[in-house]
Amino acid sequence: SQQGEEDPQALSIQEGENATMNCSYKTSINNLQWYRQNSGRGLVHLILIRSNEREKHSGRLRVTLDTSKKSSSLLITASRAADTASYFCATDAKGGGNKLTFGTGTQLKVEL
Amino acid sequence: EAGVTQSPTHLIKTRGQQATLRCSPISGHTSVYWYQQALGLGLQFLLWYDEGEERNRGNFPPRFSGRQFPNYSSELNVNALELEDSALYLCASSSDRARTEAFFGQGTRLTVV
């Protein structure tokens, strides 16, 4: 079963707007990672946030982690058409044997 | 620096046959992971290899197997193929067993007819 659940399932915005995606999970984690997938191809690693971190930035990406609520958010600022993709969160659960458990994904469409 | 490479890109097999998928990790990475992304089921963990040993296995039947070679490349074998095995198979690597920051290849699209 999927531990992570992304919300929303799909998001459509205009270029230049910000996009926020949320992820909830169920167990204690070592870290949480966000990935992007274009058109059913490989996953691109975006950012990793450890369980003792609350916020992390990388370029136009901002990730937050609230371990008390078992949730994370990914914010993409000033979105571009090239950001159109599916976005997944993946958790590395404590004692999980290095297995990443992926959420169901958010399909982001950025329109010109 | 080359990323994770997978071959073949596409593979079409008949039900009951065997499929072999290959993965070369990023240079210097010792851990290799296999995931299955089937339509409607999302990304599911299959196998983790590190230093030539199977370290963890997902909830898949024994006909899904693999190995890791001394150069850290890996093979995934699927025996007695079933139609439901049709999926994108993704390989990822990480620098050592303590790190799960995994970098993925482009995948092998397996179609079973």
Side-chain angles (χ1 to χ4, degrees), chain A residues 2 31 33 35 37 40-43 45 48 50 88 92 96-100 102, chain B residues 9 33 35 37 41 43-45 48 56 88 90 97 100-102 104-106 109:
Chain A
Q2 296 288 333
N31 62 64
Q33 303 176 48
Y35 288 87
Q37 185 177 40
R41 298 303 295 167
L43 298 174
H45 188 272
L48 179 153
R50 302 191 188 285
F88 295 90
D92 172 19
N98 276 31
K99 175 180 73 175
L100 286 178
F102 284 83
Chain B
T9 305
Y33 308 83
Y35 287 82
Q37 188 177 29
L41 293 177
L43 281 143
Q44 304 285 334
F45 169 77
W48 168 36
N56 196 6
L88 181 67
L90 292 161
R97 75 175 73 177
T100 57
E101 189 173 23
F104 284 77
Q106 289 299 301
R109 174 77 60 185

Side-chain angles (χ1 to χ4, degrees), chain A residues 2-94:
Chain A
Q2 296 288 333
Q3 168 165 240
E5 295 289 336
E6 278 96 337
D7 171 57
Q9 281 190 314
L11 180 61
S12 184
I13 60 174
Q14 297 293 312
E15 201 172 45
E17 294 181 335
N18 296 341
T20 299
M21 288 160 267
N22 303 295
C23 166
S24 61
Y25 58 92
K26 296 174 184 173
T27 64
S28 295
I29 60 172
N30 293 313
N31 62 64
L32 184 146
Q33 303 176 48
W34 284 91
Y35 288 87
R36 184 185 76 225
Q37 185 177 40
N38 291 82
S39 302
R41 298 303 295 167
L43 298 174
V44 175
H45 188 272
L46 296 176
I47 201 162
L48 179 153
I49 186 164
R50 302 191 188 285
S51 60
N52 60 352
E53 297 175 312
R54 292 296 166 257
E55 189 171 311
K56 208 160 180 182
H57 297 256
S58 177
R60 294 183 297 112
L61 306 180
R62 173 178 168 253
V63 168
T64 62
L65 179 65
D66 187 336
T67 54
S68 68
K69 293 181 180 178
K70 291 186 168 58
S71 67
S72 174
S73 68
L74 170 68
L75 168 67
I76 304 174
T77 60
S79 64
R80 305 167 181 168
D83 295 328
T84 296
S86 292
Y87 291 82
F88 295 90
C89 68
T91 52
D92 172 19
K94 288 187 189 295

